[in-house]
Amino acid sequence: MKFYLLFGPPGAGKGTQAKLLVDKFNLKHISTGELLRNEIAKGSELGKIVQKIIDKGELIDDKTMISIIESEIDSNPHVSGFLFDGFPRTIAQAEALDTMLSARKFSVESVLSIMIPDVMIYERIRHRAEIENRKDDAEPEVIKNRITTYHSKTEPLIAYYKECGKYHEVDGTGTIEEVFGSISKLVG
Ligand code: ADP
C-alpha cells in the first residue's frame, strides 16, 4: 500500500490536483479539510468544535487529526494506496503518521509539494470564495491567519521530509494541466 502526501500552502491547488491524481493512479483521496467540513455539516459535537477553529483560520488539535487519519487508514484495507491532502500539517502529525505506518509495515512513499507565492494564495482563495461557499475563504483576516499558520506550523515539514529524501516540489503557478503534468511524473 503506497502513501502519497500532497503538500502546499492553502489555495495552492491541492484539492484540484488530488481529484485528477486519484483517478489517474487509482488512489484513495483523503482530504482532512473535507472530512472536517463533513463533520460540521453533520452537526456533530466534533463538528461544532471544529467549526470555531476553522472559522478563525487555526489548526485542529493534533490528537483529533491523528485519530481521524488512523481510522481512515484502517477502514480502507483494500485500496492500493492513499493520497493525503492537508495531512500532516504539523511536525507532531508527521511523526505520528510515521509511527502509525511503520506499525502497519508501511511508510510514506513521497511528498508531492505544490508551491505558490503568498500573493497568489490570496488571489486563488479570493477566486475560490466566489465559486465554493467556504466561510474561511471569505474573510481577509482569516486568510492571513491561515497563511501565517502555514509558515509557522506546516512549512517546517519541508525540512522534515527533505531529511529523509521524500520531498518533491513542483511549481504551482502554471495551469491545472501543467501542474498535473509535473506532479504525475513524481507518482508511479
Ligand atoms: P486549505 O488547503 O485551503 O487550507 P483545507 O480544506 O485543507 O484548506 O483545510 C481547511 C481547514 O481545516 C484548515 O484551515 C484547518 O483549520 C483545518 N485542517 C485541515 N487539515 C488539518 C490538519 N491536518 N490539522 C489541523 N487542521 C486541519
Side-chain angles (χ1 to χ4, degrees):
M1 204 183 273
K2 290 191 169 175
F3 289 81
Y4 292 96
L5 313 182
L6 204 51
F7 183 86
K14 298 189 293 292
T16 306
Q17 296 299 330
K19 287 190 182 77
L20 299 169
L21 287 166
V22 293
D23 282 350
K24 180 163 176 164
F25 297 101
N26 192 29
L27 301 165
K28 168 87 182 158
H29 179 201
I30 306 285
S31 157
T32 44
E34 253 169 51
L35 292 173
L36 295 169
R37 284 187 287 278
N38 289 344
E39 281 304 315
I40 296 174
K42 275 195 278 178
S44 65
E45 277 314 304
L46 175 63
K48 285 177 196 150
I49 299 165
V50 158
Q51 173 140 47
K52 289 195 188 113
I53 300 167
I54 291 188
D55 287 352
K56 283 191 269 180
E58 280 159 20
L59 294 181
I60 311 309
D61 69 279
D62 290 331
K63 208 164 150 242
T64 302
M65 295 314 303
I66 291 159
S67 84
I68 289 177
I69 286 293
E70 191 155 34
S71 91
E72 287 295 324
I73 295 174
D74 290 340
S75 52
N76 290 284
H78 303 302
V79 299
S80 59
F82 285 90
L83 181 66
F84 289 160
D85 155 10
F87 184 92
R89 244 173 162 102
T90 62
I91 294 283
Q93 290 180 14
E95 288 171 348
L97 179 63
D98 282 345
T99 307
M100 205 187 291
L101 294 184
S102 76
R104 291 162 178 78
K105 307 267 182 289
F106 299 129
S107 64
V108 169
E109 187 75 21
S110 179
V111 178
L112 317 167
S113 173
I114 310 175
M115 274 304 135
I116 60 167
D118 283 6
V119 281
M120 201 175 241
I121 302 179
Y122 280 101
E123 271 169 40
R124 294 263 184 97
I125 293 183
R126 213 180 302 126
H127 175 69
R128 185 168 70 190
E130 289 164 15
I131 301 168
E132 294 171 26
N133 199 18
R134 277 176 56 174
K135 208 172 155 196
D136 61 339
D137 283 347
E139 294 278 335
E141 277 308 307
V142 175
I143 299 171
K144 211 169 137 203
N145 199 20
R146 283 157 67 197
I147 296 173
T148 308
T149 305
Y150 166 77
H151 286 305
S152 63
K153 305 223 168 111
T154 307
E155 215 166 41
L157 290 176
I158 296 176
Y160 182 91
Y161 286 112
K162 269 186 182 165
E163 181 102 348
C164 53
K166 292 182 175 170
Y167 182 80
H168 303 279
E169 191 171 293
V170 301
D171 176 3
T173 62
T175 63
I176 291 173
E177 293 73 23
E178 282 165 353
V179 177
F180 183 54
S182 312
I183 303 187
S184 293
K185 287 190 200 132
L186 302 172
V187 183

